[in-house]
Amino acid sequence: MHNWSADLDALLSVQGMIGLFTLSILEIILGIDNIIFISIAVNRLPRITQKKARTIGLALALIVRSVLLLFVGWIAGLKEALFYLGPYGFSGKALILAGGGIFLLIKTWKELMEKVNSPDETEIEHLKPGKVTFKSVIIQIIIIDFIFSFDSILAAVGVSGIVLIMIAAVVISMILMIMFSGFVADFINRNQGIKTIALVFLLAIGAILLAEGVMDAYNFSVPEEQHLHLNKNYAYVALGFA
């Protein structure tokens, strides 16, 4: 049984508070791509239901991440190969990352092509409510929440191995994101150039997820000293500059 009393003592210490603050900031940074996806996804719903969908989407992200933090050992086990194709091993982590990357690439590409090829923005607004349902948007958000949660959880484990601190950081970051998600969504929707950049950002994230899954499979075929690791800082710096 997990020792929650020890976790609470660690949380209330000076080091624990510093870890909580650091991890909360990191979780907010890692959650930006999640907010962008949710903002664009709910934009296709009638305006009256958009805030509700955003709140539900981020609340689901909070629940998913908190539950996954309780199964850190299971997540760590996903790094082991489930099966091999020749020398290449496919772990649960690789399958989730690659599958999520493909899902994000297809979904975002369709959205980007519709934006580029639609001649009249008012026509798009007119068609939005009939094209998607509240339920379908929530399902998409659940899928992407699950995929994005893995980066968040692995980062949390790397910064602090204390479950209570990790859950507290996730809760704090998600509350802040729920509070400001409406502002982010309105900003993206008011500025179509920013929306296009946001879509390209999501394409890049999808490609990164897919590349991570492929690299993970490749690393099973070579010794550990020859493992490939994707440095995402280059992509994030470039996208931040854009």
Side-chain angles (χ1 to χ4, degrees):
M1 182 177 292
H2 188 78
N3 190 343
W4 293 104
S5 177
D7 276 14
L8 182 59
D9 290 339
L11 173 61
L12 297 177
S13 67
V14 174
Q15 187 176 356
M17 288 297 176
I18 294 172
L20 175 62
F21 176 77
T22 303
L23 188 53
S24 298
I25 298 298
L26 181 59
E27 290 293 327
I28 291 171
I29 294 171
L30 290 174
I32 292 297
D33 46 10
N34 205 1
I35 289 181
I36 292 173
F37 178 86
I38 291 174
S39 298
I40 292 174
V42 303
N43 189 46
R44 302 182 63 81
L45 291 171
R47 179 167 290 275
I48 194 172
T49 61
Q50 288 181 12
K51 182 178 179 181
K52 179 181 178 182
R54 280 196 306 270
T55 302
I56 290 175
L58 287 169
L60 287 171
L62 168 59
I63 293 170
V64 168
R65 293 180 190 196
S66 297
V67 170
L68 287 178
L69 281 169
L70 299 175
F71 295 93
V72 171
W74 173 73
I75 294 172
L78 291 176
K79 295 180 181 180
E80 302 299 324
L82 298 175
F83 61 91
Y84 286 84
L85 287 178
Y88 305 110
F90 292 85
S91 64
K93 176 188 172 184
L95 294 175
I96 290 171
L97 290 175
I102 292 170
F103 168 81
L104 198 56
L105 284 170
I106 293 173
K107 173 66 181 171
T108 307
W109 181 257
K110 287 171 65 177
E111 190 80 26
L112 187 59
M113 287 300 98
E114 182 169 308
K115 176 173 175 55
V116 170
N117 295 325
S118 296
D120 185 3
E121 190 68 23
T122 58
E123 182 181 349
I124 298 175
E125 294 291 333
H126 176 69
L127 291 174
K128 275 179 191 173
K131 280 198 168 185
V132 296
T133 64
F134 187 88
K135 182 179 178 181
S136 68
V137 169
I138 294 300
I139 290 173
Q140 291 175 28
I141 290 172
I142 291 172
I143 293 171
I144 212 66
D145 278 347
F146 183 76
I147 295 162
F148 284 160
S149 289
F150 278 84
D151 262 355
S152 171
I153 298 307
L154 293 174
V157 173
V159 173
S160 172
I162 300 170
V163 175
L164 189 58
I165 291 178
M166 293 188 286
I167 292 177
V170 168
V171 170
I172 291 170
S173 64
M174 282 298 168
I175 289 174
L176 290 174
M177 284 192 280
I178 288 172
M179 289 171 60
F180 292 103
S181 63
F183 171 78
V184 174
D186 290 341
F187 179 76
I188 290 174
N189 293 329
R190 283 199 311 268
N191 299 274
Q192 293 304 308
I194 296 296
K195 184 173 182 179
T196 302
I197 292 174
L199 287 168
V200 174
F201 177 84
L202 289 176
L203 278 178
I205 295 297
I208 288 171
L209 290 173
L210 180 57
E212 283 189 300
V214 172
M215 284 185 181
D216 187 84
Y218 170 80
N219 286 341
F220 282 98
S221 68
V222 295
E224 186 173 351
E225 60 271 15
Q226 297 178 23
H227 281 190
L228 297 178
H229 299 283
L230 185 63
N231 188 340
K232 293 182 281 188
N233 293 337
Y234 293 109
Y236 287 133
V237 168
L239 292 167
F241 176 77

